Amino acid sequence: MAGVRSMFPHRKMEKRKCHAPLQIKAARVQRGANQHTHRPSQRRAVMSNAVGYNATHMGSTPVETGLLLQPVWDLVRAKQQWMKSPFFPVTFSLVVYSTFCLPYIALDLLAKKLPSLRKYKIQAQSNPSLGMMASCVAQTLYNHLLYIFPLSVAHWYWRPVQLPPSAPELHRLLLDIAACLLLFDFQYFVWHLLHHRVPWLYRTFHKVHHKYTATFALATEYSGAWETLSLGFFAAINPVILRCHPLTTLLFFVCNIWLSVEDHSGYDLPWSTHRLVPFGLYGGAPHHDLHHMKFKTNYAPYFTHWDKLLGTYSTLHSKSR
């Protein structure tokens, strides 16, 4: 047998060669099975690492990334066809303005017979008549239809509204609204000061708004075309300058209209904004009502810092200017 094997050594080599491909194939199959077994866990590990990276480096939680406001924004976007309409800005402005005026109209009507309400009126001796209210409503409608609506159509044609799918972060929304209000307060202060210090500007443009020396809510938008367009421009351009989210812009408009109406309400109520903001930083209705009484003081619409810095700040107990 040994001789036979020595005589035919090539048969042993052929046998080894036959088994080699089978062993290689089996090893490949086993390696593939192992990779297939471990691949999901590896993928999960990679995904968890990625999530951990994003959470760490973004520094935010799901609530902070806009999910808190997402349901609200989804409701708004459900009406996006109406929001993109040229009729929306005028309708929105009039509806919000009228809604905020209604409680003060009710107060004006009831305060005539209820001393418990009248004690909150800043100028208790004066009360707007129905004729005065009707005149203010007519002027507001005139300005919106003749000036604001054509601008809304132009904006709709040249720069259509775009609504992103995601809501803004809550803290960013609040900061942007505060920034818009502070910027508007500065712009209005400068505009207002100039239109009182330059006689031609006052006579030509601003005198209309000072027809009533005792403020009431519907007198908020009793103004001429130039004043309406100027202040409307400031309010509209500030969210663009600050690159605000559309939801932030809407809420800024709501806040701006509310604060303007409250400033002209003629009432110093226990829950008024100036009583909620500490350190006298916010003037509110007493601050602006005094401007309509004295004319040469308190030019800022909301906050008090510009008037204090430039010496135009005054209170009811100050010496008349």
Side-chain angles (χ1 to χ4, degrees):
M1 292 292 295
V4 172
R5 289 178 181 175
S6 62
M7 291 177 62
F8 301 98
H10 57 281
R11 292 184 178 179
K12 184 176 181 180
M13 295 297 296
E14 287 177 357
K15 185 177 181 180
R16 289 179 181 177
K17 288 180 181 179
C18 291
H19 286 285
L22 294 176
Q23 293 173 352
I24 294 173
K25 186 176 182 179
R28 289 177 179 175
V29 171
Q30 182 64 31
R31 186 166 59 251
N34 293 338
Q35 290 177 353
H36 180 74
T37 302
H38 295 289
R39 192 168 296 164
S41 61
Q42 291 175 349
R43 287 177 180 172
R44 286 194 295 269
V46 171
M47 290 175 65
S48 63
N49 290 336
V51 171
Y53 174 85
N54 290 334
T56 302
H57 291 266
M58 295 295 289
S60 59
T61 64
V63 172
E64 294 175 338
T65 55
L67 293 184
L68 185 64
L69 297 174
Q70 193 62 45
V72 178
W73 182 234
D74 290 339
L75 290 175
V76 173
R77 290 184 73 245
K79 306 293 183 182
Q80 61 178 312
Q81 293 304 317
W82 167 238
M83 291 183 63
K84 293 179 179 180
S85 165
F87 298 98
F88 175 76
V90 172
T91 306
F92 175 81
S93 177
L94 286 174
V95 169
V96 173
Y97 176 67
S98 302
T99 302
F100 289 152
C101 284
L102 283 175
Y104 293 111
I105 295 173
L107 279 177
D108 285 332
L109 296 176
L110 294 173
K112 296 178 181 179
K113 299 180 179 180
L114 298 176
S116 58
L117 294 178
R118 195 168 187 80
K119 68 180 181 180
Y120 295 112
K121 193 162 179 61
I122 298 171
Q123 297 189 47
Q125 75 283 359
S126 63
N127 208 70
S129 65
L130 292 177
M132 294 164 62
M133 293 182 183
S135 176
C136 290
V137 171
Q139 184 69 27
T140 300
L141 291 174
Y142 178 83
N143 288 339
H144 276 76
L145 296 177
L146 196 64
Y147 303 116
I148 298 178
F149 179 65
L151 291 176
S152 300
V153 174
H155 187 278
W156 167 79
Y157 182 79
W158 278 296
R159 191 179 178 184
V161 175
Q162 301 296 330
L163 303 180
S166 301
E169 298 177 8
L170 179 59
H171 73 276
R172 178 62 185 272
L173 178 140
L174 296 176
L175 288 174
D176 283 347
I177 290 177
C180 285
L181 288 173
L182 287 168
L183 184 56
F184 179 83
D185 188 76
F186 168 72
Q187 293 162 334
Y188 188 98
F189 173 80
V190 174
W191 185 97
H192 203 186
L193 185 64
L194 287 174
H195 282 70
H196 274 271
R197 294 295 175 86
V198 180
W200 178 81
L201 290 176
Y202 179 81
R203 289 194 309 269
T204 308
F205 301 114
H206 190 49
K207 187 178 180 179
V208 176
H209 184 64
H210 278 275
K211 179 179 180 179
Y212 304 107
T213 55
T215 57
F216 57 99
L218 287 173
T220 303
E221 295 191 1
Y222 188 83
S223 58
W226 169 249
E227 184 164 350
T228 299
L229 294 175
S230 297
L231 302 185
F233 174 76
F234 294 150
I237 200 64
N238 289 347
V240 177
I241 294 173
L242 299 175
R243 302 179 66 181
C244 295
H245 189 279
L247 180 59
T248 305
T249 303
L250 281 177
L251 293 179
F252 162 64
F253 288 159
V254 171
C255 289
N256 200 34
I257 294 173
W258 162 249
L259 294 177
S260 296
V261 170
E262 187 191 44
D263 267 7
H264 291 84
S265 67
Y267 287 90
D268 186 2
L269 299 169
W271 54 83
S272 296
T273 306
H274 71 280
R275 295 185 177 275
L276 303 178
V277 179
F279 310 120
L281 297 175
Y282 190 86
H287 182 261
H288 194 69
D289 190 87
L290 193 60
H291 170 74
H292 278 257
M293 289 174 60
K294 295 186 177 183
F295 281 49
K296 297 181 179 181
T297 186
N298 297 351
Y299 297 110
Y302 305 142
F303 302 97
T304 58
H305 54 277
W306 292 115
D307 283 308
K308 290 178 178 178
L309 286 172
L310 296 182
T312 56
Y313 177 75
S314 181
T315 64
L316 284 171
H317 306 291
S318 304
K319 185 179 178 180
S320 180
R321 292 177 180 272

